[in-house]
């Protein structure tokens, strides 16, 4: 599918019609991976259109005297972030994040990820156009839990987690949601930058490429937002959040690497399982030390470590593994966002092994035009 850009709304409306809407809804909802059954497709389409139905333009919320002042302030901030995203980061200038919906629930969707007991390779679900992706999303939490139970019965390690937002890759104007509008300023900006990046480039069937690219864009974007737009208070708040995130990322990626080596080793399965249990115990103990010694007891990651397994570590890799390569590519393109996006779109059209090889190079060169 052609990635969305500034001209996407016009192209989208020309192609609209019920059949096109169904194809778009089933094949491009990144957070709703896979459509293995009619029932799954139906809940995806039904859930997404219910979400769109709830959204109304931000100015209407701002003009409504019933809108709480705190929400009014967050919506106004979101529009400054949205303007910055297109003006400074050259992200698509369209109707996304110009509407707001209160879903009256804690997550937009609930994702299910699964991995074998001795592997970090996520189970994938495949369907036309989008290809294979390593998660499956549900608008109903109970349905996600039922899917998780079925996968556990097949022998998989499973993680179910709430997703505050997802991208429709420009097929629809993605709305602001109550699930993230009250995030701290830096986190709200990161979310908007990340989701808009999915409209820039999309590699069919390559979750790691897509998520790592969006993560790279959010990091590049938040650096600029904090430097030029944020107050001293917002910068300090973000610095504390980000320091914990960096500690979490370093810790989990280190143990992820150790487990990957273990699983690929020739050790007997019983030894692998024993060593695996020891590594997870060490990781949790190290987390407790970091929490006590560096975070002042901050417990925001407790739930993740309580449920940590191969699936949890596998999905973390998708968001971070290729980020250094994208950051090098941005530098190679002269720190010019439009040139960077053009290079990423070319990579997205290349075979996956070529994408990986290009992003692994110490000095990343843009993929050749095709």
């Amino acid at each position: 599918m052609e990635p969305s850009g500034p001209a996407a709304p016009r192209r989208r409306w020309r192609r609209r019609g019920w059949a096109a809407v169904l194809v778009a809804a089933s094949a491009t909802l990144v957070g709703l991976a896979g459509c293995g059954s009619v029932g799954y497709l139906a809940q995806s389409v039904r859930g997404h259109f219910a979400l769109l139905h709830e959204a109304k333009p931000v100015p209407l919320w701002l003009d409504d005297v019933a809108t709480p002042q705190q929400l009014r302030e967050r919506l106004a901030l979101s529009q400054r972030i949205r303007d910055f995203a297109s003006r400074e980061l050259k992200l698509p200038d369209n109707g996304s994040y110009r509407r707001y919906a209160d879903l009256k629930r804690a997550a937009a969707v609930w994702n299910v990820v699964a991995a074998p007991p001795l592997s970090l390779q996520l189970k994938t679900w495949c369907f036309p156009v989008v290809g294979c992706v390593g998660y499956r999303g549900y608008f109903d939490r109970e349905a996600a839990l039922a899917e998780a139970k079925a996968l556990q019965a097949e022998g998989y390690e499973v993680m179910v987690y709430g997703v505050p937002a997802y991208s429709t890759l420009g097929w629809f104007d993605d709305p602001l949601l109550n699930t993230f509008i009250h995030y701290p300023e830096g986190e709200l900006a990161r979310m908007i930058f990340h989701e808009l990046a999915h409209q820039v480039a999309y590699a069919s069937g390559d979750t790691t490429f897509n998520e790592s690219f969006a993560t790279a864009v959010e990091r590049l974007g938040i650096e600029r937002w904090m430097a030029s737009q944020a107050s001293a208070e917002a910068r300090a708040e973000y610095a504390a959040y980000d320091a914990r995130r960096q500690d979490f990322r370093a810790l989990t990626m280190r143990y992820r690497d150790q487990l990957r080596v273990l699983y690929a080793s020739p050790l007997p399965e019983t030894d692998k399982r024993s060593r695996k249990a020891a590594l997870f115990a060490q990781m949790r103990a190290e987390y407790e030390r970091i929490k006590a010694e560096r975070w002042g007891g901050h417990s925001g990651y407790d739930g993740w470590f309580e449920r940590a397994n191969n699936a949890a570590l596998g999905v973390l890799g998708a968001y971070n593994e290729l980020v250094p390569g994208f950051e090098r590519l941005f530098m190679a393109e002269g720190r010019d966002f439009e040139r960077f996006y053009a290079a990423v779109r070319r990579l997205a059209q290349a075979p996956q092994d070529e994408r990986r090889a290009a992003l692994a190079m110490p000095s990343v060169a843009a993929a050749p035009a095709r």
Side-chain angles (χ1 to χ4, degrees), residues 55-243:
K56 51 182 196 180
V58 168
L60 294 183
W61 290 93
L62 295 177
D63 292 341
D64 188 343
V65 295
T67 301
Q69 182 60 27
Q70 184 182 31
L71 175 58
R72 191 187 308 276
E73 292 172 358
R74 303 305 293 177
L75 290 172
L77 172 62
S78 76
Q79 297 311 282
R80 295 197 297 273
I81 293 170
R82 182 65 185 84
D83 291 341
F84 180 89
S86 294
R87 183 181 69 248
E88 303 295 333
L89 309 182
K90 308 305 179 185
L91 288 166
D93 187 4
N94 55 30
S96 289
Y97 308 109
R98 300 296 190 183
R99 300 169 69 85
Y100 171 72
D102 183 352
L103 303 180
K104 297 179 172 57
R105 60 178 187 260
V109 292
W110 285 266
N111 272 1
V112 181
V113 291
L118 294 176
S119 173
L120 296 174
Q121 184 66 45
L122 294 178
K123 174 180 172 61
T124 57
W125 288 268
C126 304
F127 49 95
V129 182
V130 171
C132 300
V133 287
Y135 41 90
R136 189 169 170 117
Y138 292 86
F139 282 95
D140 179 72
R141 184 172 181 270
E142 293 306 313
L145 293 175
E147 173 72 9
K149 185 175 181 180
L151 289 166
Q152 288 170 334
E154 295 177 25
Y156 286 100
E157 294 185 0
V158 181
M159 171 75 85
V160 177
Y161 59 96
V163 178
Y166 60 85
S167 172
T168 57
L169 309 184
W171 281 90
F172 300 94
D173 290 333
D174 301 320
L176 298 158
L177 300 172
N178 66 294
T179 53
F180 63 87
I181 193 64
H182 292 292
Y183 279 8
E185 180 177 326
E187 300 304 294
L188 178 60
R190 286 179 63 250
M191 174 70 70
I192 292 173
F193 299 158
H194 183 105
E195 298 305 330
L196 284 172
H198 283 307
Q199 298 184 19
V200 171
Y202 181 79
S204 178
D206 195 340
T207 299
T208 300
F209 178 91
N210 297 326
E211 294 299 346
S212 292
F213 165 63
T215 299
V217 171
E218 78 176 48
R219 292 189 197 176
L220 295 167
I222 196 61
E223 178 183 347
R224 284 155 181 74
W225 174 267
M226 283 293 149
S228 65
Q229 305 295 316
S231 66
E233 180 182 6
R235 287 196 295 271
E237 182 181 43
Y238 179 76
Y241 266 79
D242 197 51

Side-chain angles (χ1 to χ4, degrees), residues 237-250:
E237 182 181 43
Y238 179 76
Y241 266 79
D242 197 51
R244 290 191 293 266
R245 180 167 38 239
Q246 296 297 335
D247 286 343
F248 170 78
R249 186 177 294 141

